[in-house]
Structures are given as structure tokens and as C-alpha cells.
Amino acid sequence: MERKNVSLSYGIHRSPSIGADGELSECVNLIPKNGELTSVLPPKDTGIMLDEGELLLFVHNTSKYKNYIYAVGNTIKAFRITDGEREDFPFAHALENDESISHMQSIGNTLIGITNKSLQYFLFKDNTYRYLGNKGPELDMSFGLYGYLYESEEITVDISKNFLPEPADNPLFNMFTFPVEAQQQISEQLSPKINEFINYIKSFGNFTESFFVRYAYRTINGYYMQSTPILMTPNSGRFPYLPCSTQRYEGNILKEVKTRITAYVGRLDYRVDKEAIDVLRQWSDIIQSVDIFISEPVSYYVQDSRNYVYKKPSSFGSIEFIGARGGILSVGGTDADKIYARTGNLSKNTDFELGAPALSESDYNELVKRVSVFRKVRSISLDELKAYDDIEIDAEILQNLNVQEALPDDYNSHEKIKCNFSFIYNSRLNIAGINRYPYAFPPKAVVNYTNGEKSGNETVRKTYSYKITVLIRDTGSITAITSAASILNNLGEWIYYPNPNAYRMIIEKTDSAGGTLYADLQLTKHEFLNGAYYYNTGMDFTGKKPEIPTDATDYIHEPNKIYTSEVGNPFFFPLSGINTVGTGNILGISSATKALSQGQFGQFPLYAFSTDGIWAMEVNPETGLYSSVQPVSRDVCNNPASITQIDAAIVFTTDRGLKLLQGSDVVLLSSSMEGHNTDEGIFNISDEFSPLFVNDTEQFVEMLRSCLIAYDYAHSMLHIFPNDEAQKHYIFSLESNEFASYVGYNIRTVINNYPQTIVQSGNKVLSYDNYVSEDIYKGVAVTRELAFDDPFCMKIIHDLRVMSYRTKEKSRIRIAIFVSNDGQKWFQLHSLRQHSFRFYRIAFFTEMSDTDTLSGVSMMFDYRRNNKLR
């Protein structure tokens, strides 16, 4: 007689071959732990009940509050628990009819809902949630210049060093250049006066030279959602205008003139829709102010040059003389009813003029195209914003513009974004599976505002309706977006769109009678900014409507990019936070470090799961952004919903089974589950335990394709739920590396609320947590074939004892023995005093507390060998 001890330290093993004694074919509501089987505690009942049709989406948890976000149909709501009772917030946000929410994230008191159409933002403030929208609010601020024509006191200019006589009168030639000596003489007199004139205007916060203006929202972390740079032109052409009222000749040599430095003087103002201000003020916790930035002046005037010329009255214009052409300025009306129009030419052929040193037209245009630095000149708090106001700028700021704060360039911050996957790490929102919906800026927000035009010496209000269609060529496709209409007079000479891949712009212009004309413009990529522009002296409008490619979409698809937001600011994804991962489609993202919010910089803190493998992204500890991307594994996840963060590793599913990623190593966890499911029905011999015998409807690896995984941090277990209403799911213990199953509940949603995992089962809210229970739990464990040392010999068991430890009086363990000679047909053995059999299996029916254990069985047996005499 021999003794055999079978230790129950294994979980489920489904290989068809004979394995180690003690491996289980089924293990229901029990789990191997420290070499023994112990009862699996069900998740803790939080006592929170949801009503019929309510689905828990997220637990918004901070140090100050814990709120539960849920959906009823396509409406998002929230509640909290106060003194053990559910208290709903006065908040409800209805999604669009074709919009559905997949999951939610949070950073601080900002909640982010990820839907099939956009990112939805909510703010918890004043004891309730407030819907912010699907991107930052658009202010669409429109800039104008209002002012007047200003001239200095009369200046007598001595030109006694001029010795060049004028040639005989020639009606086709009326511009003359002074000799060098006279040039220097004039410059010494006029250059200080011109500089004094410009600085005097600046001392009132006003402008005489062209410049660019843009605004940006200031948050606690920096700037985002900048406007396009808008060219403002109070004066164009030769600046300043120097008309000469009196000229003195000696013979035919000009010796003296009397002139006044003349220019249009403009003050910057803005217009905003009141409704846009009201929306922006709802973002006051995020947006601190609207800051105004301008560029250094861009002028035809050349400082310190000696190149003075003069022009005599003539019935013919001078090709060489670039006259003062006026600009775009308010020239009539009062306050908010001002008329903004082109001021018209100042230079007249009938006037005698001095010509200040000026750039050539081409050189001036190159300066305009190269402007890329913008300095802050004014900060407007949200409370100060008005529908119409002028922008007061301190004189010292204008006179020392180059030392003011510079605005970093923007990147697509106006776009609405849709993503399939998101992950919070280091207080940054990481998103992937992206569609970007470019914003179509209304014309009023991209040009110097005008609402009238000059008619002779009068300024009249006259407007047209403009729409702009922008075409963008990106990621191998074409995107076409069309703006809302703006009522303006003209679109000026400069239009910019903040995307360097924008290549074409179609302008639709409609007059008051309904007549429509079109301009088809080709855009040029800006050399120093993230954008493209059109810059010319005019637009050619025709009645022919340009064709838009029929395959153009309204979004840009970026399947292999990860966007990382600023710290604490999930609204803005800077250019430095965009990374390209491989060439496939990103399926999901997760971190392999512990789920702490700050200070966790591992070697590979973020992993991207893609159709071309797994990629690791290293963090730059100085910036918090990702500095490099490198491949880790060729494994491809087949179920993005399965990607689950567990302390310092990640589990995910593939076509081979459940895998674990740690560092750069990928390990298969589910090799023991490869094989056929056991027909539990043949062991269903107890009505009391029959609810625990649930047949699988599909192979384990097939079930993984659509499963949900909940991580029980407290007990280091993975709960793997089929995507159906089955009451049975699988458990993997990360301590014993063994599988078991559990029958008793199913789930509708899984929410990571570290160190808890929250699930909804039916209408109950449950929590995987560490708690003490006095309850007794039923469980079943069935061994695989006990082959002893010789699987081909017949054996007879004489004695069998169960090894267990029970702490509760109500705890008990019952067994049933099954036998077979072919390993296919099994029969229950009702007495040990029977024939010998080749294979034995033992079924354990347990009623144990979570402190009870089942260690195994000890058996006395004999072999019945065929080659021995009996």
C-alpha cells in the first residue's frame, strides 16, 4: 500500500495531456493562495443603487469630494453620497442623438468625457457640474483701427547743399533725387523730427506704422487658442507723408521747402459678440484673461537712411515714387457705430512732396511675410471684456516692445478633437486614435475689420457677406471646412490660416442683392509659424464657383499619433506633446508605473499598443513630455478594452491569450487555459451546488476578444468578464499565477478608482476592496486526472483524507470521487471498496469563510498491475 499526497496549489489547467497531480479542471469561487485553496471574496457592496437604465461611467474622486457620474440614455448626470443617501446634482447634459460616450477621465475638477464625436468638458464648481463644451470657447475677436489724420507743426527744411539743377520740364518725369550732400543735410533735419513724431504718437498708445496683432487665452500654465495674426495698416506706401506747401528755388535748383510730417494715427480696438463673452466667462477657472500681442512695426520708412527724394506736381504719376497710399482706419462715426474703411491715397500728383527714405515694395513685402514674434501689450480680464472697446496700451510698453513677453506659437488649439483612447499620466491627458476637426475662422476674425468704403471725400457704410473655405492636405487626404458668414466691406491683403498644410482658400462674396462672386487663392506655407498665408494687393473675384474635391472630409485622421496635453490643462495639446508612433493604428495607451499622479518617471512610463506592435515612450524629466519612441514587442492587442494597468505592469489580450507587459518583456499568462472546456454537467451531482456549474459558451481565447478586465488591487487578482450577461467570469491571481472562475454576478462597467476598482453589477455599485467578512461562501474544485506515478496502471484507493483548515463552525468540505478507464467516460464512485480504475478525479464542494483553506488530500492506494500473477 502506498501513500499519495495531492496538494491543491494549482488553478485551472485545460491542456488535454496529463498534467501534475493537483491541477484543476474547474475551480469555482476558489483561488490558489500560498499553496492552498481559499474562498474568493465577492466585491464589496457599497450600498449604492442605480435606477433602472442608469449606467455608471466614472467616479470623480479628489481629496475634497467623491462624485459618481452616470448616463441615462444619452444624458449625463451625477450624484454623491451624503450621510449614506444618494444626492443627485442639479446637472444634466444631453448628448446629440447620434453621440455616445465610451469612458471618462478627470484632471482636478475638470471632467473629460470621451464620445464617438468629440471630447466633452465639464467643470465641477459651486457644488455642481457645468458643461464647458467640446473644446475651448471661440471668442472670434475682431480688430480695427480708429483715429484721424495728424500733422506736425510746419518744418522748414534747408536744402542749401543741393547743387543739382532740375532738367527741363518733362510731363512724364517728375521725381528727382538729391545729391549725397543734400541727402545728409535733409536727414540731419528730418530724421529726428520723424522719430519724435513716431514716439509722440506711441506715447498715447497709438500707431502710425503697420503691425500684426493677435490675442491668446492665458491660463495658469501658459497660453493657448491664439487668434490668427492680423495685419493692421494705419498707413501704407511711403511713410510718413511729407507734403510741401512752399518751395524756394535759386534758379532751377531747389534750396528750401516747408513741410509737415503727416500720417494717419490709429488706436487699436476690438469687437466681440456678447454671447461669446458669456460663454468665455464660464471658463473663468481655466482662462484667466485674454492677452493682446503685437509685432514690431513693419514700415516702408527706413531709419537713418539718406535716400530722400522729391516729387513735383504732374498730371502723370511717377513709377519710381511709391506714394503714401493711406491705410485701413475708422474715418467716420462715433463709438461703437464707427465706420472702418480704407483711408484712400494721401499722395497726390497735384502735390509737391518730399519722399522719406523707403523700402522697395518687394523688400517691404518680405518683411511682412517674415513676422513671427509677438509681444504682449495688454491683458484683459474676463470681467473687463466688452462687446466693443479700445485697447489701451501703455506708452512705455510700445516704446520698449522688444523686451515684453513673447507669445510661443500655437498649434491647432482651435480644433475640435475626437479620440478613441485616453489615459491620464502625470496630470496630463494622453489621447490616441485621433480625428481632428479644424476650426473655420469667420472672416471677421482673420482680417483688419472694415464695414465701409470711401466715396470721394465721404465715408459710407457698405458691407458684403463673406465666407471662407479652407482646404488642407494632411495625412494623405484633403480636408475642407467652411466658415460662418461675416459682414465686412473687404478682406484686405493678408489672410492667414494656422495650419501649415492649408494650401487653398476659396472666398465667397455676396452683395446685398444676392449676387455672389468667388476668389480662389493659393496659400503659402509660413516660414516661421505653424500656418499658411495669402498676401497680395488684391483678390480677383469672378462669377465662377471653384470646385472642391468630392472626396474631401471635414476632419484630419491621425491613427498613429499620441497627443499629450499641458500639465493640469486637458484642453491644450502643444506641438511638443505630439508624437508619432510606428506606422499602424494605435489601439490603446497605458502606463506601466504605479498609478500615482506625480513624480513617477520610469524608463518606459507610457506604452502605445498599435497594429504594428507595442511601443514604449520615454519621459523627459525636465519637461514631462515624451522624448523618444521605441518598439518593444511585435504583439498586437486584439481587444483595446482589455488593456489594464496593474501596479508596475500592463495586462492585455492577443490572439494567443492573456499577456503581461513589464519593462520590455512580454509574458503569456494564459497558457494553462489552452484546451477544451470541461463539461461541468457530469459533475453536477448536488442541487445545492448546481448554480456553480455554468458551461462556457466559447473558448477562453475567443472570450478574451470582447472581455472586460477589472483589477482587484487589494488581492492582486484580475477579474476577466465575458461581454455578455453570463454569471460566470474568470480570475487570474498575480500572486500564484493561477486561473480560477467565479459564478455569482456579471458586470456592466469597470471603473479604475485606485486603489479600488468600481464595477456596476445590475443596478448595484460594487467595489473590489480589502474588507473583512463573516460570511460562508460556496465553492467547487475538480481535479484533473490523478495519474499517480503510473497513468497506465489500474489503481484502487483504500483511504482518502481531506487536508483543510477551518475557522468557522459552519465551514464544511464534502468530496465526490469520479473514476474512468479511458479518460472519456466518468462515473461517480460511491464506495472505496470497489474495483480498481486507471483514472481518478476528485470534486470538492466547499462552504468556507475567507479565512478557511483547503490544502489537498492524502490517499492510501494500491496498484493493480497486469503483468503480475494474482
Side-chain angles (χ1 to χ4, degrees):
M1 189 174 295
E2 300 185 39
R3 178 179 294 277
K4 178 69 174 180
N5 293 327
V6 178
S7 174
L8 299 179
S9 59
Y10 297 100
I12 298 174
H13 287 254
R14 286 188 169 155
S15 172
S17 62
I18 296 176
D21 286 339
E23 293 180 349
L24 304 178
S25 63
E26 290 301 327
C27 184
V28 185
N29 294 13
L30 299 169
I31 194 76
K33 183 178 180 181
N34 299 324
E36 302 172 306
L37 289 181
T38 184
S39 292
V40 176
L41 279 175
K44 182 179 179 180
D45 190 343
T46 64
I48 301 172
M49 290 290 294
L50 297 171
D51 294 333
E52 195 65 33
E54 294 179 347
L55 178 67
L56 188 65
L57 295 173
F58 190 70
V59 179
H60 191 187
N61 198 6
T62 71
S63 60
K64 296 181 180 179
Y65 54 82
K66 185 175 185 178
N67 301 330
Y68 296 84
I69 317 300
Y70 67 99
V72 184
N74 69 338
T75 300
I76 299 172
K77 298 184 176 182
F79 68 86
R80 65 184 173 188
I81 301 300
T82 304
D83 296 328
E85 297 295 327
R86 170 174 163 173
E87 179 186 358
D88 275 71
F89 291 104
F91 159 77
H93 173 68
L95 300 173
E96 297 178 10
N97 290 333
D98 58 345
E99 189 171 15
S100 60
I101 188 164
S102 62
H103 61 286
M104 303 194 87
Q105 302 283 9
S106 69
I107 294 180
N109 64 338
T110 302
L111 201 62
I112 308 106
I114 288 80
T115 79
N116 61 329
K117 298 185 72 174
S118 66
L119 300 179
Q120 299 278 350
Y121 294 98
F122 307 86
L123 186 69
F124 187 69
K125 184 181 180 182
D126 298 332
N127 209 30
T128 190
Y129 283 93
R130 180 183 301 162
Y131 177 61
L132 295 178
N134 54 27
K135 67 185 198 65
E138 293 293 346
L139 195 58
D140 292 334
M141 181 178 282
S142 192
F143 291 102
L145 290 168
Y146 73 93
Y148 49 90
L149 188 65
Y150 180 78
E151 60 182 17
S152 68
E153 295 181 351
E154 189 173 72
I155 303 169
T156 300
V157 183
D158 178 15
I159 321 176
S160 57
K161 293 185 178 181
N162 181 25
F163 55 82
L164 289 178
E166 295 177 1
D169 287 342
N170 185 341
L172 298 178
F173 186 80
N174 66 339
M175 190 189 89
F176 306 94
T177 302
F178 293 105
V180 174
E181 295 84 356
Q183 293 275 0
Q184 184 171 352
Q185 185 182 23
I186 297 171
S187 178
E188 289 172 354
Q189 297 172 79
L190 278 184
S191 291
K193 295 289 186 180
I194 292 173
N195 291 335
E196 182 182 337
F197 178 90
I198 294 172
N199 289 328
Y200 178 73
I201 300 303
K202 286 182 178 179
S203 69
F204 294 96
N206 296 338
F207 300 89
T208 53
E209 300 165 287
S210 297
F211 64 99
F212 282 91
V213 62
R214 66 195 312 182
Y215 68 84
Y217 299 150
R218 180 172 62 86
T219 69
I220 193 170
N221 297 316
Y223 294 101
Y224 88 116
M225 286 193 72
Q226 304 166 15
S227 69
T228 68
I230 301 169
L231 180 61
M232 311 299 294
T233 313
N235 295 277
S236 64
R238 193 176 289 271
F239 167 83
Y241 175 44
L242 299 171
C244 299
S245 59
T246 305
Q247 308 88 41
R248 182 176 64 82
Y249 282 86
E250 293 183 2
N252 60 350
I253 300 175
L254 182 63
K255 293 294 185 178
E256 182 183 276
V257 296
K258 294 183 184 295
T259 186
R260 295 177 186 269
I261 301 172
T262 306
Y264 279 104
V265 174
R267 175 172 286 254
L268 189 63
D269 64 2
Y270 70 86
R271 294 171 184 271
V272 181
D273 291 335
K274 186 178 183 303
E275 294 77 9
I277 298 176
D278 294 337
V279 172
L280 186 63
R281 284 175 178 162
Q282 296 179 17
W283 289 63
S284 58
D285 281 34
I286 299 152
I287 297 172
Q288 310 298 312
S289 64
V290 178
D291 289 2
I292 309 299
F293 296 79
I294 68 171
S295 70
E296 292 281 359
V298 184
S299 176
Y300 280 96
Y301 175 61
V302 181
Q303 189 94 5
D304 299 328
S305 173
R306 306 289 190 266
N307 189 23
Y308 278 89
V309 296
Y310 70 100
K311 175 180 75 70
K312 298 179 65 175
S314 171
S315 57
F316 296 90
S318 172
I319 297 174
E320 294 85 357
F321 191 93
I322 304 173
R325 294 198 300 265
I328 303 175
L329 195 70
S330 169
V331 290
T334 58
D335 298 331
D337 197 39
K338 296 179 185 296
I339 297 178
Y340 297 79
R342 291 188 174 272
T343 54
N345 294 341
L346 289 176
S347 178
K348 303 179 179 64
N349 290 333
T350 57
D351 290 345
F352 191 107
E353 300 177 39
L354 275 183
L359 293 173
S360 67
E361 190 87 12
S362 61
D363 287 345
Y364 172 82
N365 291 339
E366 285 303 310
L367 286 182
V368 170
K369 296 174 186 177
R370 295 174 65 85
V371 169
S372 60
V373 179
F374 305 89
R375 305 284 183 176
K376 186 168 81 171
V377 294
R378 174 75 191 280
S379 185
I380 306 172
S381 71
L382 302 193
D383 291 336
E384 291 179 299
L385 273 176
K386 301 176 183 178
Y388 164 81
D389 201 4
D390 64 321
I391 300 173
E392 296 183 2
I393 302 174
D394 188 87
E396 187 175 345
I397 291 176
L398 272 187
Q399 291 167 343
N400 298 278
L401 191 59
N402 62 347
V403 298
Q404 306 304 316
E405 179 184 354
L407 177 67
D409 196 27
D410 195 10
Y411 186 80
N412 300 339
S413 64
H414 290 262
E415 296 180 340
K416 183 181 78 171
I417 294 178
K418 166 192 169 296
C419 73
N420 294 329
F421 315 104
S422 67
F423 189 77
I424 301 292
Y425 185 71
N426 284 335
S427 296
R428 299 176 187 266
L429 175 63
N430 298 269
I431 59 174
I434 293 167
N435 282 355
R436 292 171 23 222
Y437 294 83
Y439 180 61
F441 293 86
K444 66 179 181 180
V446 297
V447 297
N448 192 148
Y449 177 78
T450 59
N451 62 358
E453 57 187 40
K454 292 278 282 189
S455 178
N457 292 324
E458 295 295 321
T459 304
V460 296
R461 187 179 297 276
K462 187 174 183 180
T463 56
Y464 304 88
S465 174
Y466 288 94
K467 288 184 181 180
I468 297 177
T469 297
V470 178
L471 280 78
I472 303 168
R473 187 181 289 113
D474 203 339
T475 63
S477 61
I478 294 177
T479 302
I481 53 171
T482 300
S483 73
S486 291
I487 305 302
L488 297 168
N489 179 263
N490 64 75
L491 296 185
E493 301 172 348
W494 166 275
I495 298 181
Y496 176 95
Y497 188 81
N499 187 317
N501 296 312
Y503 71 95
R504 187 179 168 203
M505 188 177 283
I506 297 171
I507 312 294
E508 178 183 312
K509 176 182 178 181
T510 304
D511 61 25
S512 58
T516 302
L517 298 175
Y518 301 90
D520 196 349
L521 313 177
Q522 297 300 309
L523 303 183
T524 302
K525 181 178 179 180
H526 201 285
E527 192 173 349
F528 305 105
L529 297 175
N530 288 309
Y533 64 89
Y534 170 83
Y535 179 55
N536 209 325
T537 54
M539 300 177 186
D540 295 327
F541 284 91
T542 67
K544 182 180 179 181
K545 185 176 181 179
E547 293 184 0
I548 297 175
T550 56
D551 59 346
T553 63
D554 63 346
Y555 62 88
I556 298 170
H557 185 48
E558 295 184 326
N560 64 332
K561 290 186 184 292
I562 290 181
Y563 280 46
T564 303
S565 75
E566 287 186 333
V567 174
N569 180 5
F571 310 98
F572 180 42
F573 301 90
L575 179 60
S576 56
I578 298 175
N579 288 274
T580 301
V581 178
T583 58
N585 295 346
I586 295 176
L587 303 173
I589 48 182
S590 186
S591 168
T593 56
K594 292 186 179 181
L596 303 179
S597 60
Q598 296 181 3
Q600 297 298 307
F601 296 104
Q603 181 185 5
F604 302 128
L606 197 73
Y607 289 89
F609 295 80
S610 177
T611 54
D612 58 355
I614 303 173
W615 301 76
M617 303 177 66
E618 295 186 25
V619 164
N620 183 330
E622 295 181 359
T623 65
L625 298 171
Y626 303 105
S627 57
S628 67
V629 180
Q630 52 188 299
V632 170
S633 169
R634 294 177 61 86
D635 285 288
V636 176
C637 177
N638 64 357
N639 175 14
S642 71
I643 300 171
T644 304
Q645 180 185 13
I646 58 166
D647 290 339
I650 301 170
V651 293
F652 62 101
T653 63
T654 70
D655 287 342
R656 287 200 57 199
L658 185 69
K659 292 198 172 186
L660 180 141
L661 169 65
Q662 189 168 29
S664 57
D665 298 324
V666 178
V667 179
L668 178 65
L669 300 179
S670 60
S671 57
S672 63
M673 302 297 289
E674 296 175 1
H676 296 287
N677 297 349
T678 300
D679 181 6
E680 296 95 338
I682 67 172
F683 305 110
N684 188 5
I685 60 173
S686 169
D687 291 340
E688 185 181 357
F689 287 84
S690 61
L692 301 186
F693 289 101
V694 178
N695 287 315
D696 290 334
T697 58
E698 57 186 342
Q699 294 287 322
F700 183 78
V701 292
E702 293 300 320
M703 181 269 292
L704 292 178
R705 292 180 181 273
S706 59
C707 72
L708 291 176
I709 299 179
Y711 179 42
D712 183 351
Y713 294 91
H715 302 100
S716 295
M717 292 190 295
L718 297 173
H719 293 259
I720 306 165
F721 294 89
N723 188 23
D724 55 32
E725 296 182 359
Q727 294 289 309
K728 177 181 179 180
H729 72 272
Y730 284 95
I731 301 172
F732 180 77
S733 171
L734 292 162
E735 292 181 351
S736 63
N737 290 326
E738 297 290 340
F739 278 92
S741 66
Y742 194 97
V743 174
Y745 62 95
N746 59 10
I747 65 165
R748 299 175 62 190
T749 185
V750 177
I751 299 165
N752 184 3
N753 186 46
Y754 183 84
Q756 301 171 320
T757 296
I758 306 294
V759 297
Q760 179 181 346
S761 178
N763 292 335
K764 290 183 177 181
V765 176
L766 309 177
S767 169
Y768 288 106
D769 209 343
N770 197 5
Y771 68 99
V772 177
S773 173
E774 295 294 325
D775 295 336
I776 300 296
Y777 303 97
K778 287 184 171 62
V780 173
V782 181
T783 67
R784 296 179 65 195
E785 296 90 333
L786 297 175
F788 299 87
D789 296 326
D790 190 343
F792 301 104
C793 287
M794 307 292 283
K795 296 165 280 286
I796 183 170
I797 296 177
H798 299 287
D799 183 55
L800 186 149
R801 298 178 184 273
V802 177
M803 297 180 290
S804 65
Y805 175 77
R806 282 166 279 179
T807 61
K808 301 289 190 300
E809 292 184 2
K810 294 182 179 179
S811 298
R812 60 177 179 165
I813 299 173
R814 287 170 283 177
I815 66 170
I817 301 175
F818 294 85
V819 294
S820 174
N821 284 329
D822 60 5
Q824 301 295 320
K825 299 177 181 178
W826 293 89
F827 307 92
Q828 184 178 0
L829 188 65
H830 294 283
S831 172
L832 294 179
R833 297 177 182 180
Q834 294 189 16
H835 297 288
S836 58
F837 298 94
R838 182 167 291 149
F839 301 109
Y840 289 80
R841 298 174 74 174
I842 303 174
F844 298 87
F845 301 88
T846 66
E847 294 175 88
M848 303 191 305
S849 71
D850 62 318
T851 56
D852 298 332
T853 60
L854 173 59
S855 301
V857 293
S858 178
M859 296 174 289
M860 300 298 292
F861 72 97
D862 278 329
Y863 287 108
R864 292 290 186 263
R865 302 189 184 277
N866 297 329
N867 60 351
K868 290 186 178 183
L869 294 175
R870 299 190 181 273

